[in-house]
Amino acid sequence: MTGGARAPLPEVTPAHVQVVRGRLALVRPFVTAHGTETSKEVLLVRAVGADGAEGWGECAALATPGYTAEWVDGAEAVLRRFLVPAALAGRPAGVVGHPMASAALEAAVLHLRLAAAGTTLATWVGAVRDRVACGVAVGVASSVDVLVAEVAAFVDDGYQRVKLKVRPGWDVEPVRAVRSTWPELPLGVDANGSYRRSDLDRALAELDGLGLAEIEQPLAADDLVGLADAARRLATPVCLDESIASAADLETALAMGAGDHVNLKPGRVGGVAEALRIHDLALERGVPLWIGGMLDTGVAKAVTVALAALPGATLPGDLPASRRWFAEDLTDPWEIVADGTMAVRPPGRVRLPPTF
Ligand code: MG
């Protein structure tokens, strides 16, 4: 399956577009190298067609500009002022950047286009499976014992891969503790770009000896020379997340040898269309790829799960069950079963998030 094999969809100009804000409490805080999230600031786009069909998109932007430059209030402003008016007028928005805002609107309108074509997202993109392999990301914990207990609960849930968030000062000791407790567990780490090249001789070299499935974004997003050095020197595959904002970025990174795996997040790359270009390139080049998440509600999960069913999504994604983050999701709950898989399905009815 390649991008060229997907049927063109009819263009649909929405009759009405609504931007919805709200907030969902997380069942527990999520701590990474770039900060602590205690709630999900929800930003949704609802597009309504002239025929009354409804499509939803979710913006991946977090509360602060710590993961990438985008953040939820900025994304909302760009949507309201530029992206939505252009969509209602049926013209290109001409907006540079702001991929997460763009992806939210793209997803809402894409659902109208899919409905007009009488198909679903999974079918249209070329899904090859109806259940997808799920991994889970585990944040920085208050102690190694707390971390091991948290991982134990996820292992019991059946997750096929565990990814530990690491940062300077929280790396070798906690990762070694998890590795020694579960010697066979597919285990990765994600540094969110928090190390420097000099750490290749220290923390990163020590992590390299722990039998990890991958080390995600060890160095800054734009340090492709450093990442190429890391990919050469580390036996563990280097996975790129923040470094890849487009298929062109992936082509550059591969030409430089700057990464071995790709974490593909549709929000980070501007939506499903660019995500498919990246997927197709990775598949063509034989680059292992998995689908990432951003504290997603069920609205975004419907998109990430459909992409995880693509033939090039060869590794378990960050696709946690609804209850990993939320007491009550905005859609029917997304569940994983004992074999660590989740069903591919549309979002179904969307509940409005609590406002603030
Ligand atoms: Mg990451």
Side-chain angles (χ1 to χ4, degrees), residues 24 51 66 72 74 78 83-84 140 170 182 203 219 226 228 237 246 250 259 274 316 324 337 345 355:
L24 286 176
D51 59 356
V72 68
V78 168
L83 298 176
V84 170
V140 173
W170 178 264
W182 294 277
L219 306 180
S246 66
L250 178 57
E274 191 65 23
R324 191 263 180 272
V337 297
R345 63 166 173 88
T355 52

Side-chain angles (χ1 to χ4, degrees), residues 4 15 46 55 68 88 100 185 196 205 233 251 258 278 288 294 314 331 341 348 355:
R46 174 175 173 263
T68 61
L88 290 170
M100 296 178 184
L185 177 69
R196 295 170 171 272
R233 289 168 59 182
E251 199 156 23
I278 291 170
M294 294 287 295
T314 50
T331 64
T341 65
T355 52

